[in-house]
């Protein structure tokens, strides 16, 4: 039997941050030898909220370079741009016509983003998870490694696949394969530096709330100095009254590659004045090799272009097969 397949993507809507790395990319790197990986930049998703056309293409390249800089290995992985493959939007349309609107209105991310945008909510923001279902189901992955916030979208993806199979397939011959989410407990929800009850996010207006993958040592030091803490002495995990403390200790644990027990012991008598410099050094040295590799890759634009061209060719061949199968069961004729 061949390797199982994984598929995942990130929206190129701004700089990637520690949440994207620990919730998603780092996990892709960790499992890549075991799987055949398909990783893409979700640039069609990036315009569901107001965007800057002068930055879209550049951000898309930056994210691709960041995948490689974080250690994605092209011997195991195919990297491509969502908008380069028309099958994504075509399948999304077909799915739109079998997805009940109330399923979409129930999505937490839609509700949150719609509130932020007030009157100016596009239809694309509502149907975004349908496009995500198309992204996934086109490639028939076994697993989809994402952060916790994407769990509901993956359930919807399974629901859409099951509905299409039920309506147009047979029990012996399902049209679409149902994927499993792959969500690691550790790092699945990295919280904001300015509020330990909210997730770290690209869309938070305050840059002080997140550590970006390309932040300089000075920026990292400044952000950690300013980050929210509390006035309790002794640092502990899992205290519901101390969400910031739990978040910072968890980040320290993952980035310093230590066990929870070791960090709990090391930090139990520490105050913030002692912890913060230690944590700052850990973040800076964890990001340094990634940043160095990123700048090397960006210095060679021809290389990235060839990676994305190869990725598109490989991904498109698979996507087109699935699209043709779905069109056939829906009754479309094949153009002669
Ligand atoms: P996005 O930035 O929304 O395109 O998310 C890209 C990937 O990063 C998805 O797999 C998310 O689940 C993951 N992710 C985003 N923010 C966080 C966070 N604060 N903690 C953990 N994972 C995250
Ligand atoms: N919606 C995802 C996010 O905001 C990005 C995404 C789009 C995605 N399509 C996907 C993730 C398919 C996994 C699989 O993070």
């Amino acid at each position: 039997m061949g390797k199982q397949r994984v598929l995942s993507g990130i929206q190129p809507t701004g700089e990637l941050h520690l949440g994207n790395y620990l919730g998603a990319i780092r996990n892709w790197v960790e499992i890549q030898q075991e799987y055949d990986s398909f990783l893409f930049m979700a640039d069609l998703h990036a315009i569901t909220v107001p965007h800057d056309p002068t930055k879209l293409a550049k951000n898309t390249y930056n994210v691709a370079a960041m995948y490689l800089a974080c250690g994605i290995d092209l011997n195991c992985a195919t990297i491509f741009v969502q908008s380069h493959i028309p099958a994504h939007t075509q399948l999304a349309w077909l799915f739109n016509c079998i997805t009940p609107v109330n399923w979409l209105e129930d999505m937490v991310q839609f509700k949150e983003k719609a509130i932020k945008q007030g009157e100016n909510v596009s239809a694309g923001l509502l149907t975004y998870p349908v496009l995500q279902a198309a992204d996934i189901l086109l490639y028939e992955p076994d697993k989809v490694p994402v952060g916790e916030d994407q769990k509901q979208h993956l359930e919807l993806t399974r629901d859409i696949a099951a509905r299409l199979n039920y309506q147009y397939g047979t029990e012996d011959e399902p049209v679409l394969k149902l994927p499993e989410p792959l969500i690691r407990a550790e790092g699945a929800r990295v919280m904001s530096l300015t509020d330990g009850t909210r997730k770290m996010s690209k869309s938070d207006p305050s840059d002080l709330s997140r550590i970006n993958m390309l932040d300089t040592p000075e920026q990292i030091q400044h952000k950690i100095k300013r980050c929210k803490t509390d006035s309790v002495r002794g640092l502990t995990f899992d205290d519901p009254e101390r969400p910031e403390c739990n978040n910072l200790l968890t980040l320290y644990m993952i980035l310093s590659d230590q066990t929870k027990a070791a960090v709990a012991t090391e930090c139990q008598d520490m105050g913030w004045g002692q912890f913060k410099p230690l944590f700052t050094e850990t973040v800076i040295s964890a990001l340094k090799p990634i940043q160095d590799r990123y700048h090397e890759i960006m210095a060679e634009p021809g290389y990235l272009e060839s990676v994305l061209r190869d990725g598109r060719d490989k991904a498109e061949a698979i996507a087109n097969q699935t699209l043709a199968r779905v069109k056939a069961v829906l009754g479309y004729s094949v153009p002669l």
Side-chain angles (χ1 to χ4, degrees):
M1 234 178 69
K3 282 185 182 173
Q4 286 202 342
R5 186 177 289 161
V6 297
L7 171 126
S8 197
I10 295 184
Q11 299 185 55
T13 38
E15 268 201 58
L16 297 189
H17 52 70
L18 267 186
N20 297 129
Y21 178 54
L22 300 180
I25 308 177
R26 192 184 61 122
N27 302 332
W28 307 346
V29 172
E30 236 160 59
I31 62 173
Q32 65 182 344
Q33 303 298 335
E34 280 169 66
Y35 292 94
D36 189 17
S37 302
F38 284 76
L39 306 170
F40 68 101
M41 283 64 71
D43 59 345
L44 295 168
H45 281 92
I47 67 163
T48 54
V49 292
H51 86 290
D52 179 352
T54 62
K55 294 202 180 133
L56 183 60
K58 190 168 167 285
N59 283 343
T60 304
Y61 270 73
N62 293 351
V63 172
M66 191 52 83
Y67 288 178
L68 293 168
C70 289
I72 294 297
D73 175 354
L74 292 169
N75 291 314
C76 328
T78 303
I79 300 179
F80 63 97
V81 181
Q82 183 187 30
S83 67
H84 290 178
I85 302 186
H88 288 247
T89 41
Q90 292 179 31
L91 187 63
W93 174 256
L94 304 178
F95 284 173
N96 263 319
C97 297
I98 64 154
T99 306
V101 178
N102 67 324
W103 287 9
L104 302 176
E105 287 165 342
D106 281 346
M107 294 291 118
V108 173
Q109 202 180 62
F110 169 70
K111 290 192 246 180
E112 283 175 2
K113 289 195 181 174
I115 289 169
K116 268 193 212 153
Q117 283 181 63
E119 303 259 291
N120 190 21
V121 175
S122 70
L125 190 64
L126 179 68
T127 59
Y128 161 124
V130 176
L131 178 60
Q132 182 163 353
D135 299 336
I136 297 171
L137 296 170
L138 277 174
Y139 299 93
E140 305 191 84
D142 298 279
K143 308 234 168 78
V144 183
V146 283
E148 180 72 32
D149 59 345
Q150 294 302 313
K151 196 167 170 209
Q152 200 186 23
H153 290 162
L154 292 189
E155 281 158 11
L156 182 89
T157 298
R158 290 171 58 89
D159 288 344
I160 291 174
R163 189 171 169 92
L164 189 127
N165 285 343
Y166 176 73
Q167 291 184 345
Y168 301 100
T170 60
E171 223 166 276
D172 299 338
E173 251 182 282
V175 187
L176 295 166
K177 170 165 158 178
L178 270 62
E180 300 286 338
L182 191 67
I183 299 173
R184 278 189 45 175
E186 186 183 273
R189 223 174 137 71
V190 174
M191 309 313 277
S192 156
L193 293 186
T194 47
D195 178 351
T197 63
R198 298 218 332 258
K199 72 167 187 170
M200 186 177 284
S201 155
K202 289 185 212 136
S203 59
D204 191 311
S206 168
D207 198 52
L208 286 177
S209 69
R210 59 188 160 255
I211 291 174
N212 299 309
M213 296 300 289
L214 296 175
D215 278 349
T216 60
E218 294 71 31
Q219 285 170 312
I220 294 170
Q221 186 178 33
H222 177 67
K223 288 176 179 178
I224 294 176
K225 222 181 229 163
R226 298 279 304 273
C227 78
K228 186 170 175 202
T229 54
D230 52 32
S231 52
V232 186
R233 225 199 131 71
L235 308 182
T236 50
F237 284 102
D238 301 321
D239 181 341
E241 305 285 310
R242 306 182 71 191
E244 287 80 18
C245 185
N246 186 60
N247 187 45
L248 298 173
L249 281 194
T250 305
L251 291 176
Y252 173 60
M253 171 188 86
I254 301 174
L255 294 174
S256 64
D257 211 6
Q258 297 189 70
T259 62
K260 192 166 174 178
V263 170
T265 310
E266 184 188 5
C267 302
Q268 64 189 351
D269 299 320
M270 274 188 197
W272 292 111
Q274 201 184 346
F275 176 77
K276 281 189 172 185
L278 178 69
F279 178 52
T280 303
E281 274 320 302
T282 304
V283 176
I284 293 171
S285 49
L287 294 187
K288 170 96 172 49
I290 297 176
Q291 296 178 343
D292 290 348
R293 243 176 294 146
Y294 176 87
H295 294 302
E296 275 167 35
I297 294 164
M298 289 308 281
E300 240 189 297
Y303 170 66
L304 254 194
E305 276 163 23
S306 78
V307 168
L308 298 179
R309 213 176 308 119
D310 292 350
R312 183 192 64 189
D313 289 346
K314 203 168 151 210
E316 189 164 36
I318 298 172
N320 285 347
Q321 280 182 12
T322 309
L323 177 66
R325 203 167 63 241
V326 174
K327 285 176 78 175
V329 298
L330 291 179
Y332 285 95
S333 62
V334 179
L336 298 173

PDB file of all heavy atoms in Angstrom, residues 8-11 17 19-20 23-24 109 145-150 187-190 199-200 202, ligand 1:
ATOM      1  N   SER A   8      -3.360  20.319   3.576  1.00  0.00           N
ATOM      2  CA  SER A   8      -3.708  21.465   4.412  1.00  0.00           C
ATOM      3  C   SER A   8      -3.305  22.762   3.726  1.00  0.00           C
ATOM      4  O   SER A   8      -2.556  22.745   2.746  1.00  0.00           O
ATOM      5  CB  SER A   8      -3.047  21.354   5.792  1.00  0.00           C
ATOM      6  OG  SER A   8      -3.700  22.237   6.686  1.00  0.00           O
ATOM      7  N   GLY A   9      -3.824  23.862   4.252  1.00  0.00           N
ATOM      8  CA  GLY A   9      -3.504  25.154   3.643  1.00  0.00           C
ATOM      9  C   GLY A   9      -3.612  26.288   4.636  1.00  0.00           C
ATOM     10  O   GLY A   9      -4.205  26.142   5.706  1.00  0.00           O
ATOM     11  N   ILE A  10      -3.021  27.409   4.258  1.00  0.00           N
ATOM     12  CA  ILE A  10      -3.080  28.622   5.084  1.00  0.00           C
ATOM     13  C   ILE A  10      -3.415  29.792   4.168  1.00  0.00           C
ATOM     14  O   ILE A  10      -2.959  29.843   3.024  1.00  0.00           O
ATOM     15  CB  ILE A  10      -1.722  28.861   5.796  1.00  0.00           C
ATOM     16  CG1 ILE A  10      -1.448  27.725   6.789  1.00  0.00           C
ATOM     17  CG2 ILE A  10      -1.706  30.209   6.510  1.00  0.00           C
ATOM     18  CD1 ILE A  10      -0.187  27.905   7.612  1.00  0.00           C
ATOM     19  N   GLN A  11      -4.201  30.722   4.668  1.00  0.00           N
ATOM     20  CA  GLN A  11      -4.543  31.900   3.874  1.00  0.00           C
ATOM     21  C   GLN A  11      -3.375  32.886   3.857  1.00  0.00           C
ATOM     22  O   GLN A  11      -2.869  33.223   4.927  1.00  0.00           O
ATOM     23  CB  GLN A  11      -5.704  32.647   4.522  1.00  0.00           C
ATOM     24  CG  GLN A  11      -6.950  31.852   4.622  1.00  0.00           C
ATOM     25  CD  GLN A  11      -8.072  32.721   5.152  1.00  0.00           C
ATOM     26  OE1 GLN A  11      -8.375  33.779   4.600  1.00  0.00           O
ATOM     27  NE2 GLN A  11      -8.681  32.279   6.223  1.00  0.00           N
ATOM     28  N   HIS A  17       2.330  33.774  11.905  1.00  0.00           N
ATOM     29  CA  HIS A  17       2.727  33.976  13.300  1.00  0.00           C
ATOM     30  C   HIS A  17       2.935  32.629  13.997  1.00  0.00           C
ATOM     31  O   HIS A  17       2.743  31.567  13.382  1.00  0.00           O
ATOM     32  CB  HIS A  17       1.674  34.828  14.022  1.00  0.00           C
ATOM     33  CG  HIS A  17       0.270  34.305  13.868  1.00  0.00           C
ATOM     34  ND1 HIS A  17      -0.179  33.145  14.462  1.00  0.00           N
ATOM     35  CD2 HIS A  17      -0.783  34.783  13.161  1.00  0.00           C
ATOM     36  CE1 HIS A  17      -1.433  32.928  14.148  1.00  0.00           C
ATOM     37  NE2 HIS A  17      -1.838  33.910  13.349  1.00  0.00           N
ATOM     38  N   GLY A  19       1.185  31.053  16.030  1.00  0.00           N
ATOM     39  CA  GLY A  19      -0.007  30.181  16.026  1.00  0.00           C
ATOM     40  C   GLY A  19      -0.069  29.344  14.759  1.00  0.00           C
ATOM     41  O   GLY A  19      -0.323  28.143  14.805  1.00  0.00           O
ATOM     42  N   ASN A  20       0.222  29.975  13.620  1.00  0.00           N
ATOM     43  CA  ASN A  20       0.228  29.227  12.356  1.00  0.00           C
ATOM     44  C   ASN A  20       1.324  28.156  12.372  1.00  0.00           C
ATOM     45  O   ASN A  20       1.136  27.046  11.876  1.00  0.00           O
ATOM     46  CB  ASN A  20       0.506  30.152  11.160  1.00  0.00           C
ATOM     47  CG  ASN A  20      -0.555  31.206  10.961  1.00  0.00           C
ATOM     48  OD1 ASN A  20      -0.235  32.382  10.838  1.00  0.00           O
ATOM     49  ND2 ASN A  20      -1.813  30.824  10.938  1.00  0.00           N
ATOM     50  N   GLY A  23       0.398  25.559  15.406  1.00  0.00           N
ATOM     51  CA  GLY A  23      -0.881  24.880  15.183  1.00  0.00           C
ATOM     52  C   GLY A  23      -0.894  24.089  13.889  1.00  0.00           C
ATOM     53  O   GLY A  23      -1.589  23.088  13.773  1.00  0.00           O
ATOM     54  N   ALA A  24      -0.113  24.528  12.909  1.00  0.00           N
ATOM     55  CA  ALA A  24      -0.203  23.878  11.602  1.00  0.00           C
ATOM     56  C   ALA A  24       1.163  23.428  11.062  1.00  0.00           C
ATOM     57  O   ALA A  24       1.480  22.239  11.081  1.00  0.00           O
ATOM     58  CB  ALA A  24      -0.900  24.817  10.612  1.00  0.00           C
ATOM     59  N   GLN A 109     -16.642  30.668  12.884  1.00  0.00           N
ATOM     60  CA  GLN A 109     -15.730  31.645  12.288  1.00  0.00           C
ATOM     61  C   GLN A 109     -16.500  32.671  11.456  1.00  0.00           C
ATOM     62  O   GLN A 109     -16.166  33.852  11.443  1.00  0.00           O
ATOM     63  CB  GLN A 109     -14.677  30.936  11.427  1.00  0.00           C
ATOM     64  CG  GLN A 109     -13.446  31.789  11.245  1.00  0.00           C
ATOM     65  CD  GLN A 109     -12.390  31.098  10.402  1.00  0.00           C
ATOM     66  OE1 GLN A 109     -12.597  30.775   9.235  1.00  0.00           O
ATOM     67  NE2 GLN A 109     -11.236  30.870  10.998  1.00  0.00           N
ATOM     68  N   PRO A 145      -4.335  18.048   8.674  1.00  0.00           N
ATOM     69  CA  PRO A 145      -3.730  18.598   9.899  1.00  0.00           C
ATOM     70  C   PRO A 145      -3.952  20.111  10.010  1.00  0.00           C
ATOM     71  O   PRO A 145      -3.478  20.867   9.172  1.00  0.00           O
ATOM     72  CB  PRO A 145      -2.237  18.279   9.737  1.00  0.00           C
ATOM     73  CG  PRO A 145      -2.025  18.096   8.274  1.00  0.00           C
ATOM     74  CD  PRO A 145      -3.340  17.772   7.628  1.00  0.00           C
ATOM     75  N   VAL A 146      -4.681  20.531  11.014  1.00  0.00           N
ATOM     76  CA  VAL A 146      -5.002  21.952  11.224  1.00  0.00           C
ATOM     77  C   VAL A 146      -5.012  22.263  12.719  1.00  0.00           C
ATOM     78  O   VAL A 146      -4.931  21.364  13.555  1.00  0.00           O
ATOM     79  CB  VAL A 146      -6.406  22.292  10.663  1.00  0.00           C
ATOM     80  CG1 VAL A 146      -6.401  22.418   9.155  1.00  0.00           C
ATOM     81  CG2 VAL A 146      -7.445  21.276  11.118  1.00  0.00           C
ATOM     82  N   GLY A 147      -5.164  23.554  13.019  1.00  0.00           N
ATOM     83  CA  GLY A 147      -5.362  23.974  14.408  1.00  0.00           C
ATOM     84  C   GLY A 147      -6.822  23.763  14.805  1.00  0.00           C
ATOM     85  O   GLY A 147      -7.694  23.564  13.959  1.00  0.00           O
ATOM     86  N   GLU A 148      -7.036  23.839  16.104  1.00  0.00           N
ATOM     87  CA  GLU A 148      -8.359  23.581  16.692  1.00  0.00           C
ATOM     88  C   GLU A 148      -9.489  24.403  16.040  1.00  0.00           C
ATOM     89  O   GLU A 148     -10.613  23.923  15.864  1.00  0.00           O
ATOM     90  CB  GLU A 148      -8.237  23.942  18.188  1.00  0.00           C
ATOM     91  CG  GLU A 148      -9.471  23.765  19.027  1.00  0.00           C
ATOM     92  CD  GLU A 148      -9.809  22.312  19.283  1.00  0.00           C
ATOM     93  OE1 GLU A 148      -8.872  21.482  19.359  1.00  0.00           O
ATOM     94  OE2 GLU A 148     -11.013  22.025  19.397  1.00  0.00           O
ATOM     95  N   ASP A 149      -9.159  25.662  15.661  1.00  0.00           N
ATOM     96  CA  ASP A 149     -10.209  26.550  15.125  1.00  0.00           C
ATOM     97  C   ASP A 149     -10.833  26.034  13.825  1.00  0.00           C
ATOM     98  O   ASP A 149     -11.901  26.490  13.432  1.00  0.00           O
ATOM     99  CB  ASP A 149      -9.652  27.974  14.924  1.00  0.00           C
ATOM    100  CG  ASP A 149      -8.469  28.015  13.960  1.00  0.00           C
ATOM    101  OD1 ASP A 149      -7.886  26.963  13.665  1.00  0.00           O
ATOM    102  OD2 ASP A 149      -8.134  29.116  13.497  1.00  0.00           O
ATOM    103  N   GLN A 150     -10.179  25.087  13.168  1.00  0.00           N
ATOM    104  CA  GLN A 150     -10.697  24.584  11.888  1.00  0.00           C
ATOM    105  C   GLN A 150     -11.543  23.326  12.022  1.00  0.00           C
ATOM    106  O   GLN A 150     -12.026  22.775  11.037  1.00  0.00           O
ATOM    107  CB  GLN A 150      -9.534  24.321  10.921  1.00  0.00           C
ATOM    108  CG  GLN A 150      -8.802  25.577  10.505  1.00  0.00           C
ATOM    109  CD  GLN A 150      -9.747  26.558   9.843  1.00  0.00           C
ATOM    110  OE1 GLN A 150     -10.530  26.195   8.965  1.00  0.00           O
ATOM    111  NE2 GLN A 150      -9.722  27.807  10.288  1.00  0.00           N
ATOM    112  N   GLY A 187      -0.158  23.045  21.200  1.00  0.00           N
ATOM    113  CA  GLY A 187       0.034  24.090  20.187  1.00  0.00           C
ATOM    114  C   GLY A 187      -1.184  24.314  19.307  1.00  0.00           C
ATOM    115  O   GLY A 187      -1.180  25.161  18.429  1.00  0.00           O
ATOM    116  N   ALA A 188      -2.266  23.539  19.548  1.00  0.00           N
ATOM    117  CA  ALA A 188      -3.438  23.641  18.676  1.00  0.00           C
ATOM    118  C   ALA A 188      -4.132  24.983  18.825  1.00  0.00           C
ATOM    119  O   ALA A 188      -4.857  25.418  17.954  1.00  0.00           O
ATOM    120  CB  ALA A 188      -4.420  22.515  18.972  1.00  0.00           C
ATOM    121  N   ARG A 189      -3.929  25.622  19.960  1.00  0.00           N
ATOM    122  CA  ARG A 189      -4.553  26.916  20.200  1.00  0.00           C
ATOM    123  C   ARG A 189      -3.572  27.829  20.916  1.00  0.00           C
ATOM    124  O   ARG A 189      -3.507  27.849  22.152  1.00  0.00           O
ATOM    125  CB  ARG A 189      -5.799  26.685  21.064  1.00  0.00           C
ATOM    126  CG  ARG A 189      -6.965  27.481  20.594  1.00  0.00           C
ATOM    127  CD  ARG A 189      -8.230  27.150  21.361  1.00  0.00           C
ATOM    128  NE  ARG A 189      -8.935  28.375  21.673  1.00  0.00           N
ATOM    129  CZ  ARG A 189      -9.567  29.131  20.776  1.00  0.00           C
ATOM    130  NH1 ARG A 189      -9.600  28.786  19.523  1.00  0.00           N
ATOM    131  NH2 ARG A 189     -10.172  30.227  21.138  1.00  0.00           N
ATOM    132  N   VAL A 190      -2.818  28.556  20.126  1.00  0.00           N
ATOM    133  CA  VAL A 190      -1.876  29.526  20.691  1.00  0.00           C
ATOM    134  C   VAL A 190      -2.661  30.805  20.938  1.00  0.00           C
ATOM    135  O   VAL A 190      -3.383  31.274  20.059  1.00  0.00           O
ATOM    136  CB  VAL A 190      -0.715  29.784  19.698  1.00  0.00           C
ATOM    137  CG1 VAL A 190       0.193  30.891  20.208  1.00  0.00           C
ATOM    138  CG2 VAL A 190       0.067  28.500  19.460  1.00  0.00           C
ATOM    139  N   LYS A 199      -7.548  33.789  20.683  1.00  0.00           N
ATOM    140  CA  LYS A 199      -6.450  33.132  19.966  1.00  0.00           C
ATOM    141  C   LYS A 199      -5.571  34.150  19.249  1.00  0.00           C
ATOM    142  O   LYS A 199      -6.041  35.226  18.868  1.00  0.00           O
ATOM    143  CB  LYS A 199      -6.991  32.071  19.013  1.00  0.00           C
ATOM    144  CG  LYS A 199      -7.694  32.597  17.810  1.00  0.00           C
ATOM    145  CD  LYS A 199      -7.913  31.512  16.757  1.00  0.00           C
ATOM    146  CE  LYS A 199      -8.477  32.216  15.529  1.00  0.00           C
ATOM    147  NZ  LYS A 199      -8.559  31.442  14.329  1.00  0.00           N
ATOM    148  N   MET A 200      -4.318  33.793  19.111  1.00  0.00           N
ATOM    149  CA  MET A 200      -3.397  34.637  18.349  1.00  0.00           C
ATOM    150  C   MET A 200      -3.871  34.621  16.904  1.00  0.00           C
ATOM    151  O   MET A 200      -4.134  33.556  16.361  1.00  0.00           O
ATOM    152  CB  MET A 200      -1.973  34.065  18.449  1.00  0.00           C
ATOM    153  CG  MET A 200      -0.907  34.932  17.812  1.00  0.00           C
ATOM    154  SD  MET A 200       0.769  34.257  18.020  1.00  0.00           S
ATOM    155  CE  MET A 200       1.138  34.635  19.725  1.00  0.00           C
ATOM    156  N   LYS A 202      -3.941  36.643  12.790  1.00  0.00           N
ATOM    157  CA  LYS A 202      -3.408  37.618  11.838  1.00  0.00           C
ATOM    158  C   LYS A 202      -4.280  38.854  11.816  1.00  0.00           C
ATOM    159  O   LYS A 202      -3.832  39.936  11.469  1.00  0.00           O
ATOM    160  CB  LYS A 202      -3.424  37.030  10.425  1.00  0.00           C
ATOM    161  CG  LYS A 202      -2.431  35.951  10.175  1.00  0.00           C
ATOM    162  CD  LYS A 202      -2.511  35.577   8.687  1.00  0.00           C
ATOM    163  CE  LYS A 202      -2.195  34.119   8.474  1.00  0.00           C
ATOM    164  NZ  LYS A 202      -3.099  33.459   7.540  1.00  0.00           N
TER     165      LYS A 202
HETATM  166  P1  LIG B   1      -5.182  31.016   9.116  1.00  0.00           P
HETATM  167  O1  LIG B   1      -4.192  31.975   9.667  1.00  0.00           O
HETATM  168  O2  LIG B   1      -6.556  31.271   9.650  1.00  0.00           O
HETATM  169  O3  LIG B   1      -5.134  30.848   7.622  1.00  0.00           O
HETATM  170  O4  LIG B   1      -4.797  29.593   9.729  1.00  0.00           O
HETATM  171  C1  LIG B   1      -3.864  28.718   9.135  1.00  0.00           C
HETATM  172  C2  LIG B   1      -3.593  27.529  10.011  1.00  0.00           C
HETATM  173  O5  LIG B   1      -3.016  27.946  11.249  1.00  0.00           O
HETATM  174  C3  LIG B   1      -4.847  26.708  10.385  1.00  0.00           C
HETATM  175  O6  LIG B   1      -4.499  25.330  10.434  1.00  0.00           O
HETATM  176  C4  LIG B   1      -5.187  27.204  11.747  1.00  0.00           C
HETATM  177  O7  LIG B   1      -5.877  26.246  12.498  1.00  0.00           O
HETATM  178  C5  LIG B   1      -3.807  27.488  12.345  1.00  0.00           C
HETATM  179  N1  LIG B   1      -3.877  28.545  13.345  1.00  0.00           N
HETATM  180  C6  LIG B   1      -4.196  29.853  13.134  1.00  0.00           C
HETATM  181  N2  LIG B   1      -4.168  30.548  14.296  1.00  0.00           N
HETATM  182  C7  LIG B   1      -3.814  29.664  15.273  1.00  0.00           C
HETATM  183  C8  LIG B   1      -3.598  29.753  16.692  1.00  0.00           C
HETATM  184  N3  LIG B   1      -3.729  30.901  17.343  1.00  0.00           N
HETATM  185  N4  LIG B   1      -3.252  28.633  17.341  1.00  0.00           N
HETATM  186  C9  LIG B   1      -3.101  27.460  16.690  1.00  0.00           C
HETATM  187  N5  LIG B   1      -3.293  27.301  15.372  1.00  0.00           N
HETATM  188  C10 LIG B   1      -3.639  28.377  14.656  1.00  0.00           C
END
